[in-house]
Amino acid sequence: MKKYTYIGDAVIIVLVLSLGFSPYWFRAKNATIDKFIIEMNGETFAVIDCDADATIVVPAQLGPIIVEIHDDSAWVKSSSCPLKYCVEMGAISKPHQIIACVPNKVLIKATGNVKKSKLDAILD
Amino acid sequence: MQFSIERNRKIARYAILLAISLSIWVLEEFVPRPIPWMKPGLSYVAVLVGMSILGPIMGGSIAISRSLLGSLILGKLLSPSFILSISGSVAASIVMILLFPLKNRLLTPLGISVAGSFSHIAVQIAIAGALFYRMDIVLALLPISTIWAVIAGAIVGIIATVVEKNLLNFYK
């Protein structure tokens, strides 16, 4: 009876899986989004890391605005403004995107460096 | 003597293994699959068995001959799917030939098979991205394909281990 060692097999399977999932890894590394900045009345109210898991209550002019940050994206959960455009805007997850609540004078900005080109596609 | 019994025996075994590998490959081509490259790859059983009976290089060349002959039979020779298939087979056989010396010391056929099936699928995806599609789109297929490669490679490796053991007992 031959004695098999399975250490090499395990190493190969782990190596293969890590290689196979490297696209996700690279994508996570290349994610250029960095921080969310919440501004109120033109002044910075809070700066939150994009990978934080937070619910922030912004004490705005017309009443509280609830901002949620989760999984590199931020959205307004509920707002005190009459038209709720900031809620309908949905989540932002890329640099230089903005959620604005005009009646409350609140801005939520995503910061980071933009590397991608302005082109949608290249045909050759 | 050039045409010794040993040599003839080797040629005959190579032909038998190639025929088995080829027929499994051609039949697998008709199995429906959700993702283009999601084949079970059971024809690699013959390749793995061939590597241990005939030596790694001769065994590895079964994979390449199988892709060539199989595409010829199905009328796909020199088509895009043939290019993908042959590049995957070349990559898989190179990786398996390189890993073969470690067999029975660090690796079982299972490890060799998983490495081979992953290199097959990864090279196929890379070639598909470089020649036919966009690289970022096909790279999204890589994680799913990897899971499949590990499962299929493990199944092929286990079958190859069993077949090899019984076959070697039969010959000796």
Side-chain angles (χ1 to χ4, degrees):
Chain A
M1 185 74 191
K2 275 181 211 159
K3 186 177 166 276
Y4 284 122
T5 47
Y6 292 96
I7 303 158
D9 290 358
V11 167
I12 279 197
I13 288 174
V14 168
L15 205 71
V16 157
L17 282 175
S18 55
L19 268 176
F21 282 87
S22 56
Y24 282 140
W25 190 62
F26 280 122
R27 196 172 299 162
K29 259 197 151 175
N30 288 344
T32 47
I33 188 165
D34 183 27
K35 282 182 170 68
F36 289 110
I37 299 174
I38 301 176
E39 284 186 8
M40 190 169 60
N41 299 327
E43 288 159 20
T44 305
F45 170 73
V47 179
I48 302 116
D49 272 343
C50 63
D51 51 357
D53 227 353
T55 306
I56 296 133
V57 180
V58 184
Q61 282 178 345
L62 305 176
I65 296 179
I66 298 171
V67 180
E68 288 230 25
I69 294 173
H70 179 64
D71 253 4
D72 290 356
S73 57
W75 64 95
V76 176
K77 203 179 177 191
S78 70
S79 169
S80 51
C81 55
L83 293 172
K84 313 281 189 218
Y85 282 140
C86 47
V87 181
E88 282 168 25
M89 173 76 200
I92 56 172
S93 56
K94 292 190 177 74
H96 299 303
Q97 284 184 321
I98 274 181
I99 299 177
C101 184
V102 177
N104 279 320
K105 293 187 184 169
V106 168
L107 274 182
I108 300 154
K109 291 179 184 170
T111 64
N113 50 336
V114 184
K115 271 188 198 160
K116 69 168 189 180
S117 68
K118 296 277 182 195
L119 305 172
D120 290 331
I122 300 168
L123 302 174
D124 52 359
Chain B
M1 195 108 153
Q2 203 178 357
F3 286 96
S4 63
I5 287 178
E6 199 49 49
R7 191 186 145 97
N8 287 346
R9 194 175 276 163
K10 240 183 171 177
I11 290 170
R13 284 174 185 169
Y14 183 85
I16 291 167
L17 284 168
L18 180 56
I20 294 169
S21 176
L22 186 57
S23 40
I24 297 172
W25 193 86
V26 170
L27 284 176
E28 260 180 10
E29 200 62 21
F30 300 114
V31 177
R33 43 188 183 270
I35 299 173
W37 306 294
M38 212 165 161
K39 283 175 79 173
L42 289 174
S43 57
Y44 275 105
V45 172
V47 176
L48 282 165
V49 172
M51 285 174 100
S52 56
I53 292 178
L54 304 166
I57 290 170
M58 235 175 148
S61 71
I62 291 178
I64 299 163
S65 324
R66 174 211 63 191
S67 282
L68 249 156
L69 289 174
S71 302
L72 189 64
I73 289 170
L74 294 172
K76 287 184 186 169
L77 200 62
L78 303 182
S79 72
S81 80
F82 163 73
I83 294 168
L84 295 182
S85 149
I86 194 96
S87 52
S89 302
V90 170
S93 42
I94 288 171
V95 167
M96 292 199 293
I97 288 168
L98 290 178
L99 286 178
F100 192 78
L102 295 174
K103 196 188 154 198
N104 292 348
R105 267 179 287 169
L106 282 170
L107 291 173
T108 64
L110 193 148
I112 296 172
S113 162
V114 168
S117 86
F118 174 71
S119 47
H120 187 114
I121 217 150
V123 166
Q124 259 187 353
I125 283 176
I127 297 275
L131 294 183
F132 308 119
Y133 305 101
R134 274 173 52 198
M135 192 58 105
D136 50 341
I137 293 175
V138 289
L139 271 184
L141 278 174
L142 189 59
I144 314 167
S145 309
T146 306
I147 295 171
W148 180 250
V150 170
I151 296 170
I155 293 170
V156 167
I158 291 163
I159 296 174
T161 314
V162 174
V163 170
E164 230 168 69
K165 213 164 79 183
N166 290 318
L167 210 59
L168 291 177
N169 288 343
F170 180 74
Y171 276 127
K172 276 158 197 176

